[in-house]
Amino acid sequence: KATVSVLNCSRPAHHPPPFTMGCTESKPTNAAAAPQKAAPAAQNTTAQQNVDAAAEPAVVASNPAVASPNNQEWQLVRRPNGLPVHEDFRLVEIAEPDEAELKEGEILLDLHALSVDPYMRPRMQGGSGSYIQPFALGEAMSGSTVGVVKASKAEQFPVGSYATGFALFRKRQIVSAEGMTPASDKVPLTYFLGTLGLTGVSAFLPIKHIAEPKAGETAFVSGAAGAVGMAAVQILKLKGCRVIGSAGSPEKVQEVLDMGADAAFDYKTTDDYAAKLKEVAPEGIDIYFDNVGGAMLEAALEVMNTHGRIVACGAISQYNNKSASDAYPIRNLPHVIFKCITLRGFIVSQWREEFPAAVGTLVEHVQKGELKVRETSVDGFHKMPDAMIGLLTGANTGKMVVHA
């Protein structure tokens, strides 16, 4: 069986702000070859996604005197009004980082892949719409990344090793090793952006602390064909629950069933969510892992059992609202009182001390074939906006990743 170095990591797999990012200013240097992609494991799948791609983006040089076509970054240049469009982003050529400028505890990282995630949509709005620092206009975007170490002054990251963590959406950069975690190419490197990283932990830990599943209970997962949703379905099954999932197409419904769900339905062809939930869960729902919010949350409240637990993980159905007046009005919140329901949100970093152990457990489940991984892969750093827009319109099954 493959041994994954993250089993022994002493820091979280990766984390969004408010933790300190590992990024530092880049200085000019020579370009290096990108790492090879690791082969996918036999029991898991990576779909090559043909998202609706725009024309090749125009590339702007930040400083023509030092900018290099070998080093680029993505910037947000406009706050989206509703669903983001390609014009909200800009691809910029920047200077090469200079490995001679490396300080103790820093590494020079060549990007292998980056992750686009639903939490990034509120970050685009600015103001107080997100629980983490919003993207600054005209500056590099950031998120979960994995790459190869090309130069190092950190002994835990020898040259040629792999590192994963929160960094800029930039092809080459100098980062602090303190904010990174070792990764292993004995599994596909992109797994550290998903099931073996923040995605898997965002399912595993709230299920442990909020859902507190008991064998024989009924659990419902919305957005069950998404990255966190797929992990949640499988983790709840491992806990002995009967699991129901919702997804946005017949193909995605089948994927959810293939992940082990006992029942699943296509929300896009379902007129009455509450009636459907009563049909597939005639004894009610004990646990709701909510990734979408809105009308689905309202329906779940109708079907929740007394002392049920709702894990409020996401609300992707609401993220592209143009104003507060567009928000779906949950009309049956008194059920939370009368049914003694626990409805609790979370920021996964609140359990940061548990990340290494949680990732270790997830690695074991993957190695044993108990936890399957699905990815949607977009090839090309220049296609990051395509992947982001695709994610927000449901073009992905499982984790959406962008290969550099």
Side-chain angles (χ1 to χ4, degrees):
K1 294 178 180 178
T3 301
V4 182
S5 60
V6 77
L7 279 166
N8 300 315
C9 69
S10 59
R11 292 185 59 81
H14 32 255
H15 42 257
F19 297 133
T20 303
M21 281 175 27
C23 313
T24 61
E25 287 299 316
S26 295
K27 306 291 192 300
T29 190
N30 295 323
Q36 293 183 346
K37 298 174 186 176
Q43 76 272 24
N44 302 309
T45 64
T46 299
Q48 189 63 44
Q49 181 64 42
N50 294 318
V51 295
D52 292 331
E56 290 286 320
V59 183
V60 178
S62 60
N63 183 342
V66 296
S68 167
N70 296 314
N71 199 22
Q72 299 173 336
E73 69 181 23
W74 275 108
Q75 299 177 353
L76 184 72
V77 294
R78 186 174 67 183
R79 304 291 179 198
N81 182 25
L83 181 70
V85 296
H86 290 84
E87 291 75 17
D88 296 328
F89 308 95
R90 178 172 62 195
L91 185 60
V92 181
E93 288 182 355
I94 58 172
E96 290 276 1
D98 185 356
E99 65 182 76
E101 299 291 329
L102 274 180
K103 300 174 184 176
E104 287 301 317
E106 293 181 342
I107 58 176
L108 174 60
L109 193 70
D110 269 16
L111 183 68
H112 172 71
L114 60 85
S115 170
V116 292
D117 297 284
Y119 80 88
M120 294 179 177
R121 179 60 187 87
R123 290 187 71 192
M124 297 178 195
Q125 287 308 106
S128 59
S130 175
Y131 60 90
I132 59 176
Q133 182 179 356
F135 293 123
L137 295 181
E139 296 184 13
M141 298 174 66
S142 55
S144 295
T145 65
V146 63
V148 63
V149 177
K150 304 306 273 186
S152 176
K153 287 193 176 181
E155 61 179 74
Q156 70 269 40
F157 290 105
V159 173
S161 65
Y162 298 95
T164 182
F166 202 83
L168 301 178
F169 280 3
R170 182 179 287 177
K171 284 189 173 182
R172 309 192 75 222
Q173 62 190 295
I174 292 173
V175 301
S176 169
E178 185 180 0
M180 308 300 286
T181 296
S184 169
D185 62 355
K186 292 181 179 178
V187 296
L189 290 173
T190 50
Y191 283 18
F192 293 93
L193 303 179
T195 303
L196 303 185
L198 189 63
T199 295
V201 169
S202 294
F204 184 88
L205 289 175
I207 286 175
K208 173 184 175 182
H209 290 288
I210 302 174
E212 299 180 329
K214 303 175 184 66
E217 289 189 316
T218 296
F220 169 47
V221 180
S222 59
V228 176
M230 278 192 169
V233 166
Q234 295 178 87
I235 291 166
L236 287 163
K237 283 299 295 180
L238 288 169
K239 297 295 184 181
C241 293
R242 179 175 184 267
V243 180
I244 298 157
S246 64
S249 72
E251 294 77 16
K252 290 184 178 183
V253 167
Q254 187 58 53
E255 286 278 1
V256 174
L257 294 171
D258 291 344
M259 293 293 110
D262 298 278
F265 64 93
D266 183 348
Y267 75 89
K268 290 184 178 179
T269 59
T270 300
D271 295 326
D272 187 332
Y273 296 157
K276 174 57 73 172
L277 286 172
K278 290 174 183 177
E279 174 189 327
V280 296
E283 297 182 1
I285 295 169
D286 302 295
I287 296 165
Y288 175 34
F289 196 102
D290 184 14
N291 288 304
V292 303
M296 194 66 77
L297 172 57
E298 183 177 76
L301 285 168
E302 288 293 324
V303 190
M304 293 295 295
N305 288 330
T306 301
H307 299 298
R309 288 86 70 200
I310 298 177
V311 179
C313 179
I316 196 168
S317 71
Q318 304 299 293
Y319 289 162
N320 289 319
N321 291 341
K322 294 183 179 181
S323 68
S325 63
D326 293 334
Y328 186 90
I330 306 297
R331 296 163 291 192
N332 57 354
L333 279 176
H335 283 316
V336 174
I337 303 166
F338 305 142
K339 296 183 180 183
C340 304
I341 293 169
T342 297
L343 194 165
R344 181 178 166 191
F346 67 94
I347 307 300
V348 72
S349 58
Q350 69 195 66
W351 300 301
R352 59 185 296 183
E353 296 83 4
E354 298 183 51
F355 278 21
V359 172
T361 300
L362 293 168
V363 169
E364 292 176 5
H365 286 315
V366 170
Q367 290 176 335
K368 292 177 181 178
E370 298 170 339
L371 193 58
K372 298 177 183 179
V373 179
R374 295 288 186 269
E375 293 181 335
T376 300
S377 174
V378 175
D379 255 338
F381 184 73
H382 64 285
K383 293 184 179 178
M384 187 283 296
D386 298 323
M388 181 72 74
I389 295 166
L391 173 78
L392 296 172
T393 55
N396 62 302
T397 298
K399 184 72 188 136
M400 179 75 89
V401 298
V402 180
H403 285 279

